[in-house]
Amino acid sequence: MEQQEKVEQVPRVDDVLSPASQRSAGLRRVAGPLLSVGMLVLAMWALHLLARHVSYHDIREYVASVSRVRLLLAIVLTTLGFGVMSLYDRFGLESIGRPLPWRRVTLISFISYAFSNAVGMSFLVSGSIRYRFYVQNGLSTAEIAKLVLYCTLSFWLGLLALTGVTLLIVPLPSGLPLSDWRILLATALTAIPLAWVLGGFIRRPIRLWRWRVLLPRPLPALRQVLVGALDWWLAATVMYVLMPDSLHAGFGHFLAIFVIAQIVGLISHVPGGLGVFESLMLAGFHATADKHLAAPILGALAMFRVVYYLMPLCAATMLVLQREARGLRKQALWSPWFTGLLPSFFAGLTLVSGAVLLFSGATRALPDRMAILRDVLPLSVLEVSHFMASVIGMMLLILARGLQRRLDVAYWVTLVLLVAGAVFSLLKGIDYEEASLLALLAMALAPAHRLFYRRASLFGGHYSWGWIVAILAVFGCTTWLVMFSYKHVEYSNNLWWEFSFHEGASRALRSLVGAAAAGLLFALASLIKPRRLRHAPPSEAELERALPLIRHFHSAQAHLALMGDKRLLFDAEGKAFLMYDTAGRSWVTMGDPVGEDEDARRELVWSFMEQCERAGGWPVFYQVSPADLDLYLEVGMSLLKIGEEARVRLEHFNLDGKSKKTLRGTINKLSRDGVRLEIVPAEEVAPLLPRLKQISDAWLADKHAREKRFSLGSFDPRYLVRTPMALVWQGERLLAFANLFLTETREEASLDLMRFVPDGPSGIMDFLFVELMQWAKQHGYRWFNLGMAPLAGLTSRRKSPLWNRFGALVFGRGERFYNFQGLQRYKDKFDPEWEPRYMAVPGGIALPVILANVASLISGGITGVVRR
């Protein structure tokens, strides 16, 4: 029982962070989502007050009256708007010197902006979509950051320029709070993009706080502003063609109110400006007291969100699924990478489907359809269907996170609930539109079972604050819709017990409570979990449990787990484990998951990611092999090449040939001088430790070095007695030693800690390596691992990623800190096969801190980073 508890333990944030750091990290994670929730609540309350004279029936009546010509024109303008958005990326790529084919840029831009514009979707997948698309097209992390900065600046500069010019030309309607400050506000807003354009004439860097910024030349800067302004002008035009004829306002007045409402909505941090934008549009046109004007404006706003947000989102989703299906048929190289993106798409669409069911349950059914149901359906079936549709909607919101985590149980439950939701949608009001949406999603999800392979519990996962806010925001909007749709119905306790085809308010209230109960029950079930124990270095029992996995693993480097300085994370069945340690916010694993069971290894990567997310840490997978890169790509990690590992194929190893003349001479000379190799089994190492300690201390003193750790062994008696030892003798004098990593499968042999006496004969290390390789060859081993040469193989070509160029620079000129080139040259004389090694890191600007943390782990502290 005790051993099982240790296997299931998940380190907590308070185990690695100080209380002050813990509170600070927690506040940072909570502050943003709570601010968004607070602003959304205020916005919905303001909208409730402003639209108090408007009924849901009035809004639906206006939507039905909009002509098809207007709707088609709005769709055409939306298409033009997304075409203009593609210019952000196209010109941005030109500005960083990485142009791509315009069709590819247009596709990437459309998919990215369709998801980032959609309400509540930007924090789920849009960032990873843009990043993954451009990484696949050869851009580095730094180049993508520059591109995103260019697009963001274009977006805001265009909005400010359009707002400022509009306010200068068109006076605001009287009565608005900003009408008296129009000229001053317009001048201030226009001055920012104007300064950006004119600043291009200054051809020297401008210092802004701690940064030095070189502004673009005037013409590119002007193009940047004009593209942003055109994008916003087209968005306003889409909204304008959907507005009622009774508005009695020219396009100039409308544009002024539209852009101001958009700016306030963006500043509010509410996704899509939901509620904030609508409230300001109503206030701007003085529609709060005019029922005949407010209802059409709200109807136009609802149609604008459908045309400008929801329809592009659906189109982008279909494009993504089509490309994936085509890639799978052709077995394209990018298909595994792109397949890793699909769970996030399905999660987002499931979230939207849940919201659709909840919103539908909160609003009135169409009278004509209810009349049909009254003749063919018992009332009890209608009531149960309405209630169950809302409960399913809440469950789909919760299951979306499970799909993102690739849970098998989430896949099956979601598939069943989508089909059930489609049936209940037809039975509760012949809502074939939402039934079609659910059925299409179910058909798209059905053949994708292989993407959802994890057998973990649905209740054991961690819900980030972003997910919690998304679920609460959808439920909050559903509550507001119930209040708005049935504001004319006076509340009484009898409403809960009224059942009839006409009592929509009673059904909506019961469904709302049912959805809330489903969410609360899931939350309670998730809280009732086994207590998580505080983690500690691995115990002897855990190391013994890991030993069989280590010995049967194909890579001998798995023996580094025996050092005991890294924590061990086992899968639930004990078929694989990860070794890791923490430095700062970085949670760094050493190598790939150890074990032969592929499902267990894959599950470990996911478990480690969730553990880091729970603790607010950055997951880092250090020194991983090319064979396992798909494990890290599918969880959204970025890959950096950190060097190459040298492996000697033993069946071809010999000392023949001219290139081995010097090495052959060294070995022969030392053999004539009586130098010999002895292999001591692990059981006989302990009595030798005092003599080995003397050699180790003398070696460290001679090299002015300190013990390393994490990816390299150190002189620790508890570690050394667990592995065989290679000893180099001259007569009765011990000259050198090295502990051995030997796999029981005879796939690979290696060594870790190597020390020799400073006054011994030259060539001792050459002798040790050659004799060990010949010994391993005689005992049937296939490979001898010489370890990694850091930063080897990185190129410094003009179009190489920034990391590669930086690494190549350090490799060539960083001999002061580490013997990069000398180490590679030394290993190369044994004719090894070089295989790249990578570090999988999260995308973003945390990379410099992560690199410093990894270096600190290996060097035994930050002071060891700058010492040999």
Side-chain angles (χ1 to χ4, degrees):
M1 182 67 182
E2 179 181 347
Q3 188 180 31
Q4 184 178 0
E5 289 181 347
K6 290 178 180 176
V7 171
E8 298 294 330
Q9 71 182 19
V10 179
R12 301 183 302 180
V13 65
D14 53 8
D15 295 328
V16 277
L17 299 178
S18 66
S21 300
Q22 182 181 326
R23 288 191 296 270
S24 176
L27 286 174
R28 284 195 301 270
R29 293 198 299 271
V30 173
L34 287 183
L35 177 62
S36 297
V37 170
M39 294 300 297
L40 178 62
V41 170
L42 290 176
M44 299 308 292
W45 178 251
L47 185 59
H48 176 74
L49 294 178
L50 292 171
R52 58 185 179 276
H53 301 298
V54 181
S55 68
Y56 174 75
H57 175 75
D58 297 330
I59 297 175
R60 192 170 63 190
E61 188 176 282
Y62 174 77
V63 171
S65 68
V66 175
S67 66
R68 293 183 179 179
V69 175
R70 284 193 176 191
L71 189 59
L72 181 61
L73 181 58
I75 294 173
V76 171
L77 290 170
T78 299
T79 305
L80 291 175
F82 275 87
V84 171
M85 289 181 203
S86 69
L87 297 179
Y88 289 144
D89 293 61
R90 188 174 180 181
F91 293 149
L93 289 167
E94 289 180 5
S95 71
I96 63 175
R98 294 299 301 271
L100 295 174
W102 69 269
R103 289 185 178 179
R104 191 180 306 172
V105 174
T106 302
L107 176 66
I108 295 173
S109 170
F110 173 71
I111 294 175
S112 300
Y113 286 118
F115 274 87
S116 62
N117 287 349
V119 178
M121 292 298 298
S122 59
F123 70 92
L124 291 176
V125 291
S126 74
S128 62
I129 291 172
R130 178 180 292 275
Y131 181 82
R132 291 191 182 194
F133 267 119
Y134 281 119
V135 163
Q136 185 68 11
N137 282 276
L139 272 69
S140 67
T141 302
E143 288 169 335
I144 296 173
K146 292 178 183 177
L147 176 62
V148 171
L149 178 60
Y150 179 95
C151 296
T152 304
L153 284 173
S154 302
F155 175 90
W156 277 101
L157 290 171
L159 178 57
L160 296 178
L162 183 63
T163 305
V165 172
T166 302
L167 293 180
L168 284 175
I169 298 174
V170 181
L172 285 172
S174 58
L176 287 183
L178 297 176
S179 57
D180 297 334
W181 300 85
R182 178 177 65 89
I183 299 299
L184 181 61
L185 179 63
T187 303
L189 293 177
T190 309
I192 297 174
L194 186 62
W196 180 259
V197 175
L198 297 179
F201 289 104
I202 305 174
R203 300 318 303 156
R204 64 177 184 274
I206 299 174
R207 188 173 186 84
L208 296 175
W209 193 33
R210 287 186 281 179
W211 295 282
R212 294 168 64 84
V213 180
L214 180 63
L215 299 179
R217 294 187 179 274
L219 285 180
L222 179 61
R223 182 179 64 181
Q224 193 175 0
V225 174
L226 291 178
V227 168
L230 180 59
D231 172 26
W232 282 106
W233 184 87
L234 284 170
T237 307
V238 174
M239 177 74 190
Y240 186 70
V241 299
L242 297 172
M243 294 293 281
D245 295 329
S246 58
L247 189 63
H248 300 304
F251 181 72
H253 286 121
F254 169 83
L255 182 60
I257 296 171
F258 177 87
V259 290
I260 290 175
Q262 285 285 2
I263 290 176
V264 177
L266 290 169
I267 295 174
S268 70
H269 291 288
V270 176
L274 186 64
V276 179
F277 177 65
E278 285 80 359
S279 299
L280 288 172
M281 291 294 288
L282 286 177
F285 291 108
H286 300 291
T288 54
D290 188 349
K291 169 185 175 181
H292 300 291
L293 183 58
I297 290 177
L298 287 174
L301 286 165
M303 295 182 69
F304 172 73
R305 290 199 176 275
V306 170
V307 172
Y308 200 77
Y309 292 109
L310 188 58
M311 290 178 65
L313 174 64
C314 294
T317 302
M318 295 306 296
L319 278 174
V320 168
L321 296 177
Q322 180 188 11
R323 281 180 65 88
E324 174 60 14
R326 186 171 59 190
L328 289 174
R329 286 197 302 269
K330 296 181 179 179
Q331 294 184 343
L333 292 176
W334 50 263
S335 183
W337 163 83
F338 202 71
T339 301
L341 200 59
L342 285 178
S344 293
F345 277 98
F346 284 125
L349 293 175
T350 302
L351 187 74
V352 171
S353 300
V356 168
L357 282 176
L358 285 172
F359 294 162
S360 176
T363 54
R364 286 176 170 273
L366 295 175
D368 296 340
R369 299 181 185 182
M370 290 299 292
I372 297 174
L373 289 176
R374 187 190 317 164
D375 297 332
V376 299
L377 203 67
L379 177 61
S380 58
V381 174
L382 174 71
E383 295 285 354
V384 171
S385 299
H386 196 284
F387 181 84
M388 290 304 301
S390 294
V391 172
I392 289 174
M394 173 58 73
M395 293 308 300
L396 288 177
L397 298 184
I398 295 169
L399 287 166
R401 171 61 172 158
L403 291 179
Q404 191 189 43
R405 293 170 54 213
R406 298 173 181 251
L407 298 184
D408 175 75
V409 64
Y411 166 84
W412 287 112
V413 176
T414 301
L415 201 58
V416 171
L417 291 184
L418 286 173
V419 175
V423 174
F424 287 136
S425 296
L426 295 174
L427 294 178
K428 75 181 180 67
I430 318 182
D431 295 324
Y432 60 85
E433 301 91 347
E434 63 195 62
S436 300
L437 172 66
L438 297 174
L440 285 173
L441 180 56
M443 287 189 290
L445 184 62
H449 182 220
R450 63 185 180 82
L451 301 177
F452 304 94
Y453 47 79
R454 299 185 60 206
R455 305 287 179 173
S457 169
L458 187 63
F459 300 101
H462 172 69
Y463 279 73
S464 66
W465 279 103
W467 274 99
I468 294 173
V469 166
I471 295 172
L472 291 178
V474 171
F475 184 75
C477 291
T478 304
T479 304
W480 183 89
L481 271 175
V482 171
M483 296 171 61
F484 178 78
S485 300
Y486 301 100
K487 63 170 65 179
H488 62 284
V489 178
E490 185 177 352
Y491 175 79
S492 68
N493 292 331
N494 293 330
L495 274 178
W496 298 97
W497 312 108
E498 292 181 2
F499 301 91
S500 75
F501 282 96
H502 300 290
E503 292 300 330
S506 300
R507 277 192 294 274
L509 283 174
R510 288 191 291 268
S511 299
L512 186 67
V513 172
L520 287 174
L521 286 174
F522 181 85
L524 289 174
S526 299
L527 290 174
I528 304 174
K529 293 183 292 190
R531 176 179 173 267
R532 300 189 185 104
L533 304 179
R534 301 177 69 89
H535 65 218
S539 64
E540 288 295 326
E542 288 177 305
L543 291 175
E544 288 298 322
R545 187 183 184 196
L547 195 56
L549 298 173
I550 294 170
R551 289 174 174 170
H552 286 87
F553 195 53
H554 60 82
S555 174
Q557 301 302 312
H559 286 75
L560 287 169
L562 300 178
M563 289 172 59
D565 64 338
K566 293 174 282 292
R567 298 149 188 153
L568 303 183
L569 177 67
F570 290 88
D571 75 298
E573 298 179 5
K575 295 180 178 179
F577 74 89
L578 271 174
M579 48 181 144
Y580 72 98
D581 203 354
T582 59
R585 285 186 61 188
S586 300
W587 293 53
V588 189
T589 73
M590 178 58 220
D592 299 304
V594 178
E596 296 300 317
D597 190 291
E598 289 301 316
D599 291 338
R601 298 173 74 239
R602 195 178 299 273
E603 177 62 28
L604 268 175
V605 173
W606 277 98
S607 299
F608 184 73
M609 294 286 292
E610 291 172 356
Q611 171 179 302
C612 294
E613 182 181 3
R614 185 179 294 112
W618 298 320
V620 181
F621 298 87
Y622 179 72
Q623 206 169 315
V624 297
S625 63
D628 288 326
L629 294 186
D630 63 309
L631 296 179
Y632 314 110
L633 288 174
E634 70 182 20
V635 294
M637 305 295 283
S638 305
L639 299 174
L640 301 177
K641 184 178 179 181
I642 57 173
E644 294 184 341
E645 188 173 82
R647 301 174 75 212
V648 178
R649 191 183 293 270
L650 293 177
E651 62 179 327
H652 298 152
F653 176 74
N654 56 64
L655 295 180
D656 300 335
K658 186 177 180 180
S659 61
K660 302 286 181 59
K661 180 180 179 180
T662 303
L663 189 60
R664 188 168 57 247
T666 301
I667 304 305
N668 291 336
K669 180 181 181 301
L670 289 174
S671 297
R672 288 193 300 268
D673 292 341
V675 179
R676 59 186 172 85
L677 175 72
E678 180 187 3
I679 305 299
V680 178
E683 298 79 13
E684 300 177 15
V685 170
L688 297 170
L689 288 177
R691 296 184 69 176
L692 302 183
K693 176 66 172 173
Q694 294 176 3
I695 296 175
S696 178
D697 291 344
W699 184 88
L700 289 172
D702 182 66
K703 301 295 183 182
H704 303 288
R706 57 185 292 176
E707 294 282 12
K708 306 296 183 183
R709 57 184 296 269
F710 191 69
S711 63
L712 299 169
S714 60
F715 195 95
D716 184 343
R718 293 172 300 177
Y719 164 55
L720 295 178
V721 297
R722 296 190 178 105
T723 61
M725 191 71 65
L727 305 176
V728 178
W729 299 88
Q730 188 175 35
E732 296 300 318
R733 186 189 182 195
L734 185 58
L735 300 179
F737 72 89
N739 69 315
L740 301 181
F741 293 166
L742 304 175
T743 63
E744 290 188 354
T745 59
R746 307 289 171 133
E747 177 68 18
E748 188 175 80
S750 185
L751 72 169
D752 181 30
L753 187 71
M754 298 175 290
R755 303 284 160 86
F756 57 89
V757 294
D759 58 344
S762 61
I764 295 178
M765 285 294 99
D766 291 346
F767 181 88
L768 176 62
F769 274 113
V770 170
E771 290 296 310
L772 274 177
M773 281 186 262
Q774 290 179 339
W775 176 87
K777 181 178 180 179
Q778 292 171 2
H779 285 77
Y781 288 89
R782 292 186 61 210
W783 296 92
F784 193 89
N785 194 323
L786 297 173
M788 188 179 71
L791 303 183
L794 273 66
T795 59
S796 186
R797 298 185 180 92
R798 185 174 65 88
K799 291 192 176 182
S800 297
L802 180 62
W803 164 254
N804 284 33
R805 285 180 279 167
F806 173 75
L809 175 67
V810 174
F811 182 79
R813 304 187 181 185
E815 297 297 295
R816 162 65 180 84
F817 303 102
Y818 193 86
N819 189 19
F820 295 104
Q821 296 186 61
L823 181 61
Q824 185 194 32
R825 284 194 299 266
Y826 181 81
K827 295 179 179 182
D828 208 33
K829 67 183 179 181
F830 298 104
D831 291 335
E833 296 181 17
W834 293 95
E835 186 177 82
R837 287 295 177 265
Y838 298 89
M839 180 166 61
V841 297
I845 61 174
L847 180 59
V849 180
I850 290 173
L851 294 175
N853 289 338
V854 172
S856 175
L857 276 178
I858 297 172
S859 302
I862 196 64
T863 58
V865 175
V866 295
R867 295 178 58 181
R868 283 181 178 268

Short mmCIF file of all heavy atoms in Angstrom, two decimals, residues 153-154 157-158 161 189-203 206 214-227 229:
data_model
loop_
_atom_site.label_atom_id
_atom_site.label_comp_id
_atom_site.label_asym_id
_atom_site.label_seq_id
_atom_site.Cartn_x
_atom_site.Cartn_y
_atom_site.Cartn_z
N LEU A 153 0.72 45.34 -33.77
CA LEU A 153 0.88 46.78 -34.00
C LEU A 153 0.00 47.26 -35.14
O LEU A 153 -0.63 48.33 -35.05
CB LEU A 153 2.35 47.09 -34.29
CG LEU A 153 3.30 47.09 -33.09
CD1 LEU A 153 4.75 47.24 -33.56
CD2 LEU A 153 2.95 48.24 -32.13
N SER A 154 -0.06 46.50 -36.23
CA SER A 154 -0.90 46.88 -37.36
C SER A 154 -2.36 46.96 -36.94
O SER A 154 -3.09 47.89 -37.32
CB SER A 154 -0.74 45.88 -38.51
OG SER A 154 0.60 45.79 -38.92
N LEU A 157 -2.65 50.14 -34.53
CA LEU A 157 -2.39 51.39 -35.24
C LEU A 157 -3.51 51.71 -36.21
O LEU A 157 -3.94 52.87 -36.33
CB LEU A 157 -1.05 51.31 -35.98
CG LEU A 157 0.20 51.30 -35.11
CD1 LEU A 157 1.43 50.98 -35.95
CD2 LEU A 157 0.38 52.65 -34.40
N GLY A 158 -4.01 50.71 -36.91
CA GLY A 158 -5.12 50.93 -37.83
C GLY A 158 -6.38 51.34 -37.10
O GLY A 158 -7.11 52.24 -37.56
N ALA A 161 -5.89 54.96 -35.85
CA ALA A 161 -5.93 55.91 -36.96
C ALA A 161 -7.35 56.10 -37.47
O ALA A 161 -7.79 57.23 -37.70
CB ALA A 161 -5.02 55.42 -38.09
N LEU A 189 -5.49 60.31 -30.52
CA LEU A 189 -5.51 59.00 -31.18
C LEU A 189 -4.79 59.03 -32.51
O LEU A 189 -4.09 58.09 -32.88
CB LEU A 189 -6.96 58.53 -31.36
CG LEU A 189 -7.75 58.21 -30.08
CD1 LEU A 189 -9.18 57.82 -30.42
CD2 LEU A 189 -7.07 57.10 -29.30
N THR A 190 -4.95 60.11 -33.26
CA THR A 190 -4.30 60.21 -34.57
C THR A 190 -2.80 60.40 -34.44
O THR A 190 -2.03 59.97 -35.31
CB THR A 190 -4.91 61.38 -35.37
OG1 THR A 190 -6.34 61.26 -35.37
CG2 THR A 190 -4.41 61.37 -36.81
N ALA A 191 -2.37 61.04 -33.35
CA ALA A 191 -0.95 61.34 -33.18
C ALA A 191 -0.11 60.08 -33.07
O ALA A 191 1.04 60.05 -33.51
CB ALA A 191 -0.76 62.21 -31.94
N ILE A 192 -0.67 59.00 -32.51
CA ILE A 192 0.12 57.78 -32.30
C ILE A 192 0.51 57.12 -33.63
O ILE A 192 1.69 56.90 -33.89
CB ILE A 192 -0.65 56.80 -31.39
CG1 ILE A 192 -0.86 57.43 -30.01
CG2 ILE A 192 0.10 55.47 -31.27
CD1 ILE A 192 -1.74 56.60 -29.09
N PRO A 193 -0.46 56.81 -34.53
CA PRO A 193 -0.03 56.25 -35.82
C PRO A 193 0.76 57.23 -36.67
O PRO A 193 1.65 56.82 -37.44
CB PRO A 193 -1.35 55.85 -36.50
CG PRO A 193 -2.40 56.60 -35.78
CD PRO A 193 -1.92 56.82 -34.40
N LEU A 194 0.48 58.54 -36.53
CA LEU A 194 1.24 59.54 -37.29
C LEU A 194 2.69 59.56 -36.84
O LEU A 194 3.62 59.63 -37.67
CB LEU A 194 0.60 60.93 -37.10
CG LEU A 194 1.20 62.05 -37.95
CD1 LEU A 194 1.02 61.76 -39.43
CD2 LEU A 194 0.55 63.39 -37.57
N ALA A 195 2.90 59.45 -35.52
CA ALA A 195 4.27 59.41 -35.01
C ALA A 195 4.99 58.14 -35.48
O ALA A 195 6.19 58.16 -35.76
CB ALA A 195 4.26 59.47 -33.48
N TRP A 196 4.25 57.06 -35.59
CA TRP A 196 4.84 55.81 -36.07
C TRP A 196 5.34 55.95 -37.51
O TRP A 196 6.42 55.48 -37.86
CB TRP A 196 3.80 54.70 -35.98
CG TRP A 196 4.27 53.36 -36.45
CD1 TRP A 196 4.01 52.77 -37.65
CD2 TRP A 196 5.09 52.43 -35.72
NE1 TRP A 196 4.62 51.55 -37.74
CE2 TRP A 196 5.28 51.30 -36.56
CE3 TRP A 196 5.67 52.43 -34.46
CZ2 TRP A 196 6.02 50.20 -36.17
CZ3 TRP A 196 6.42 51.34 -34.07
CH2 TRP A 196 6.59 50.25 -34.92
N VAL A 197 4.53 56.62 -38.33
CA VAL A 197 4.91 56.79 -39.74
C VAL A 197 6.07 57.78 -39.87
O VAL A 197 7.07 57.50 -40.55
CB VAL A 197 3.70 57.24 -40.57
CG1 VAL A 197 4.12 57.55 -42.01
CG2 VAL A 197 2.62 56.17 -40.56
N LEU A 198 5.95 58.93 -39.21
CA LEU A 198 7.00 59.95 -39.33
C LEU A 198 8.28 59.53 -38.64
O LEU A 198 9.37 59.98 -39.03
CB LEU A 198 6.50 61.27 -38.74
CG LEU A 198 5.29 61.91 -39.44
CD1 LEU A 198 4.88 63.20 -38.74
CD2 LEU A 198 5.62 62.19 -40.91
N GLY A 199 8.17 58.67 -37.65
CA GLY A 199 9.37 58.20 -36.97
C GLY A 199 10.29 57.40 -37.88
O GLY A 199 11.47 57.21 -37.57
N GLY A 200 9.76 56.93 -39.00
CA GLY A 200 10.58 56.19 -39.94
C GLY A 200 11.67 57.02 -40.57
O GLY A 200 12.65 56.46 -41.12
N PHE A 201 11.53 58.35 -40.54
CA PHE A 201 12.58 59.21 -41.10
C PHE A 201 13.82 59.24 -40.19
O PHE A 201 14.89 59.65 -40.63
CB PHE A 201 12.05 60.63 -41.29
CG PHE A 201 11.05 60.74 -42.42
CD1 PHE A 201 9.70 60.84 -42.16
CD2 PHE A 201 11.48 60.71 -43.74
CE1 PHE A 201 8.77 60.94 -43.19
CE2 PHE A 201 10.56 60.81 -44.79
CZ PHE A 201 9.20 60.93 -44.51
N ILE A 202 13.64 58.84 -38.94
CA ILE A 202 14.78 58.77 -38.00
C ILE A 202 15.44 57.42 -38.17
O ILE A 202 14.90 56.39 -37.80
CB ILE A 202 14.30 58.97 -36.54
CG1 ILE A 202 13.53 60.26 -36.40
CG2 ILE A 202 15.49 58.93 -35.59
CD1 ILE A 202 12.89 60.45 -35.04
N ARG A 203 16.61 57.38 -38.73
CA ARG A 203 17.29 56.12 -39.06
C ARG A 203 18.28 55.68 -37.99
O ARG A 203 19.33 55.11 -38.29
CB ARG A 203 17.99 56.21 -40.42
CG ARG A 203 17.11 56.50 -41.60
CD ARG A 203 15.81 55.72 -41.59
NE ARG A 203 15.99 54.29 -41.52
CZ ARG A 203 15.09 53.46 -41.05
NH1 ARG A 203 13.95 53.92 -40.55
NH2 ARG A 203 15.33 52.16 -41.03
N ILE A 206 15.64 54.19 -31.43
CA ILE A 206 15.02 55.04 -30.40
C ILE A 206 14.97 54.24 -29.10
O ILE A 206 14.54 53.08 -29.10
CB ILE A 206 13.61 55.49 -30.83
CG1 ILE A 206 13.69 56.31 -32.12
CG2 ILE A 206 12.94 56.28 -29.72
CD1 ILE A 206 12.32 56.66 -32.67
N LEU A 214 14.26 50.29 -33.65
CA LEU A 214 14.47 50.92 -34.95
C LEU A 214 13.14 50.88 -35.70
O LEU A 214 12.65 49.81 -36.06
CB LEU A 214 15.55 50.19 -35.74
CG LEU A 214 15.87 50.77 -37.12
CD1 LEU A 214 16.41 52.19 -36.99
CD2 LEU A 214 16.86 49.89 -37.86
N LEU A 215 12.53 52.04 -35.91
CA LEU A 215 11.22 52.11 -36.55
C LEU A 215 11.34 51.79 -38.04
O LEU A 215 12.37 52.05 -38.67
CB LEU A 215 10.63 53.51 -36.36
CG LEU A 215 10.38 53.94 -34.91
CD1 LEU A 215 9.81 55.34 -34.86
CD2 LEU A 215 9.43 52.97 -34.22
N PRO A 216 10.27 51.23 -38.65
CA PRO A 216 10.31 50.94 -40.08
C PRO A 216 10.32 52.24 -40.89
O PRO A 216 9.96 53.31 -40.40
CB PRO A 216 9.02 50.15 -40.31
CG PRO A 216 8.10 50.57 -39.21
CD PRO A 216 8.98 50.84 -38.02
N ARG A 217 10.70 52.13 -42.14
CA ARG A 217 10.71 53.29 -43.02
C ARG A 217 9.29 53.79 -43.25
O ARG A 217 8.31 53.05 -43.06
CB ARG A 217 11.38 52.94 -44.34
CG ARG A 217 12.87 52.64 -44.17
CD ARG A 217 13.55 52.46 -45.51
NE ARG A 217 14.97 52.18 -45.32
CZ ARG A 217 15.90 53.13 -45.18
NH1 ARG A 217 15.54 54.41 -45.19
NH2 ARG A 217 17.17 52.81 -45.01
N PRO A 218 9.13 55.06 -43.65
CA PRO A 218 7.79 55.67 -43.72
C PRO A 218 6.78 54.89 -44.57
O PRO A 218 5.64 54.70 -44.16
CB PRO A 218 8.07 57.06 -44.29
CG PRO A 218 9.46 57.36 -43.88
CD PRO A 218 10.19 56.06 -43.91
N LEU A 219 7.17 54.44 -45.77
CA LEU A 219 6.21 53.77 -46.64
C LEU A 219 5.74 52.44 -46.05
O LEU A 219 4.53 52.17 -46.02
CB LEU A 219 6.82 53.57 -48.03
CG LEU A 219 6.89 54.84 -48.89
CD1 LEU A 219 7.51 54.53 -50.26
CD2 LEU A 219 5.49 55.44 -49.08
N PRO A 220 6.63 51.56 -45.57
CA PRO A 220 6.13 50.34 -44.91
C PRO A 220 5.29 50.63 -43.68
O PRO A 220 4.30 49.93 -43.41
CB PRO A 220 7.42 49.58 -44.54
CG PRO A 220 8.44 50.07 -45.50
CD PRO A 220 8.10 51.51 -45.74
N ALA A 221 5.65 51.67 -42.93
CA ALA A 221 4.87 52.03 -41.74
C ALA A 221 3.48 52.52 -42.14
O ALA A 221 2.47 52.18 -41.50
CB ALA A 221 5.61 53.09 -40.93
N LEU A 222 3.41 53.33 -43.20
CA LEU A 222 2.11 53.82 -43.68
C LEU A 222 1.26 52.66 -44.18
O LEU A 222 0.04 52.62 -43.92
CB LEU A 222 2.33 54.84 -44.80
CG LEU A 222 1.07 55.44 -45.43
CD1 LEU A 222 0.26 56.20 -44.38
CD2 LEU A 222 1.43 56.35 -46.59
N ARG A 223 1.89 51.73 -44.89
CA ARG A 223 1.15 50.54 -45.36
C ARG A 223 0.60 49.75 -44.18
O ARG A 223 -0.53 49.24 -44.23
CB ARG A 223 2.10 49.68 -46.20
CG ARG A 223 1.47 48.44 -46.79
CD ARG A 223 2.48 47.66 -47.62
NE ARG A 223 3.57 47.15 -46.81
CZ ARG A 223 4.59 46.45 -47.31
NH1 ARG A 223 4.66 46.21 -48.60
NH2 ARG A 223 5.55 46.02 -46.51
N GLN A 224 1.37 49.65 -43.13
CA GLN A 224 0.95 48.92 -41.94
C GLN A 224 -0.30 49.56 -41.33
O GLN A 224 -1.26 48.87 -40.97
CB GLN A 224 2.10 48.93 -40.94
CG GLN A 224 1.98 47.99 -39.78
CD GLN A 224 3.23 47.99 -38.91
OE1 GLN A 224 4.20 48.70 -39.18
NE2 GLN A 224 3.21 47.19 -37.86
N VAL A 225 -0.31 50.89 -41.24
CA VAL A 225 -1.45 51.61 -40.66
C VAL A 225 -2.68 51.48 -41.55
O VAL A 225 -3.80 51.25 -41.08
CB VAL A 225 -1.09 53.09 -40.43
CG1 VAL A 225 -2.31 53.87 -39.97
CG2 VAL A 225 0.03 53.22 -39.40
N LEU A 226 -2.48 51.61 -42.88
CA LEU A 226 -3.61 51.57 -43.80
C LEU A 226 -4.27 50.20 -43.83
O LEU A 226 -5.49 50.10 -43.93
CB LEU A 226 -3.15 51.96 -45.21
CG LEU A 226 -2.74 53.43 -45.40
CD1 LEU A 226 -2.25 53.67 -46.82
CD2 LEU A 226 -3.91 54.36 -45.08
N VAL A 227 -3.48 49.13 -43.74
CA VAL A 227 -4.06 47.79 -43.72
C VAL A 227 -4.93 47.61 -42.48
O VAL A 227 -6.05 47.08 -42.55
CB VAL A 227 -2.95 46.72 -43.78
CG1 VAL A 227 -3.51 45.34 -43.47
CG2 VAL A 227 -2.29 46.72 -45.15
N ALA A 229 -6.41 49.97 -40.72
CA ALA A 229 -7.60 50.81 -40.84
C ALA A 229 -8.63 50.20 -41.79
O ALA A 229 -9.84 50.22 -41.52
CB ALA A 229 -7.19 52.21 -41.32
#
